[in-house]
């Protein structure tokens, strides 16, 4: 689908160049489309930003499907895959920073993870699943950021290894406890 091709190209551009690199013309070039194609789908830069952020949220929603028999392990594998495929995660963080100035983006970015974390907290029997979901989301965001660009990027196990998944699983298990 052309819309996905455009938004996926936008994600790659933002990961590599930051939000300043996101232009209709740059997306057309990255996607290998004729000039003006991106503008036909996203008339303004704001619409393009909203489109790529919505695509990030959609991809994240598809990625996060905890295995009821191994919740911590499945989440650890998802986090590790986001560390391996770091461009999407970097683009997501760039979008989160952009959302500080554009609240409409924030609602797209936080809605899905918080819903999923709240549902998980409910399944695990937390007394206040809304609060537990918010805390768990914040924990996972911090863990991912630390491992991607923070101090953990230098001293944690290399993403894509069994050791990385084990380390992430241990952290997730601790955070899941009611």
């Amino acid at each position: 689908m052309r819309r996905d091709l455009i938004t996926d190209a936008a994600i790659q551009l933002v990961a590599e160049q930051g939000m300043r690199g996101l232009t209709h013309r740059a997306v057309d070039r990255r996607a290998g489309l004729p000039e003006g194609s991106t503008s036909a789908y996203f008339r303004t830069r704001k619409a393009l930003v909203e489109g790529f952020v919505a695509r990030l949220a959609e991809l994240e929603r598809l990625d996060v499907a905890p295995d009821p028999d191994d919740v911590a392990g499945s989440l650890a594998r998802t986090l590790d895959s986001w560390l391996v495929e770091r461009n999407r995660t970097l683009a997501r963080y760039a979008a989160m920073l952009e959302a500080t100035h554009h609240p409409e983006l924030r609602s797209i970015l936080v809605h899905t993870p918080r819903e999923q974390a709240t549902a998980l907290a409910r399944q695990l029997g937390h007394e206040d699943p809304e609060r537990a979901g918010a805390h768990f989301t914040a924990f996972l965001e911090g863990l991912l950021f630390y491992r991607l660009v923070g101090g953990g990027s230098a001293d944690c196990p290399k993403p894509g290894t069994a050791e990385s998944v084990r380390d992430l699983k241990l952290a997730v298990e601790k955070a899941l406890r009611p």
Side-chain angles (χ1 to χ4, degrees):
M1 167 181 216
R2 187 162 284 202
R3 185 176 284 272
D4 291 347
L5 176 67
I6 290 169
T7 52
D8 289 347
I11 290 168
Q12 293 304 312
L13 278 169
V14 170
E16 294 168 8
Q17 300 175 21
M19 293 301 288
R20 281 198 233 174
L22 184 64
T23 66
H24 288 81
R25 186 173 290 159
V27 172
D28 287 339
R29 281 193 302 269
R30 174 56 62 97
L33 296 171
E35 194 171 307
S37 297
T38 297
S39 294
Y41 286 86
F42 302 98
R43 299 295 303 156
T44 64
R45 185 173 190 281
K46 181 181 180 211
L48 179 57
V49 170
E50 289 173 355
F52 112 79
V53 168
R55 177 72 170 153
L56 284 169
E58 174 190 353
L59 293 170
E60 183 175 274
R61 192 172 33 256
L62 295 171
D63 283 350
V64 179
D67 175 352
D69 297 325
D70 185 17
V71 173
S74 60
L75 290 173
R77 287 186 293 279
T78 298
L79 291 173
D80 188 67
S81 75
W82 290 348
L83 293 167
V84 170
E85 296 293 327
R86 60 185 280 143
N87 275 358
R88 188 170 14 133
T89 307
L90 289 170
R92 187 167 172 278
Y93 283 124
M96 290 171 88
L97 288 171
E98 184 78 2
T100 62
H101 304 291
H102 301 281
E104 67 277 7
L105 298 179
R106 193 173 313 127
S107 66
I108 297 169
L109 285 167
V110 300
H111 188 66
T112 300
R114 173 98 39 101
E115 276 181 357
Q116 290 173 312
T118 299
L120 180 59
R122 194 170 283 113
Q123 288 173 348
L124 294 172
H126 283 269
E127 266 183 41
D128 184 351
E130 292 287 331
R131 175 164 277 150
H135 290 167
F136 188 59
T137 301
F139 169 79
L140 291 179
E141 291 288 358
L143 179 61
L144 188 60
F145 189 84
Y146 175 75
R147 294 279 307 265
L148 185 70
V149 297
S153 63
D155 61 12
C156 285
K158 183 180 179 198
T161 64
E163 184 182 2
S164 175
V165 174
R166 276 193 304 274
D167 185 61
L168 289 164
K169 182 177 179 179
L170 180 64
V172 172
E173 284 173 339
K174 289 178 183 177
L176 284 173
R177 293 188 187 127

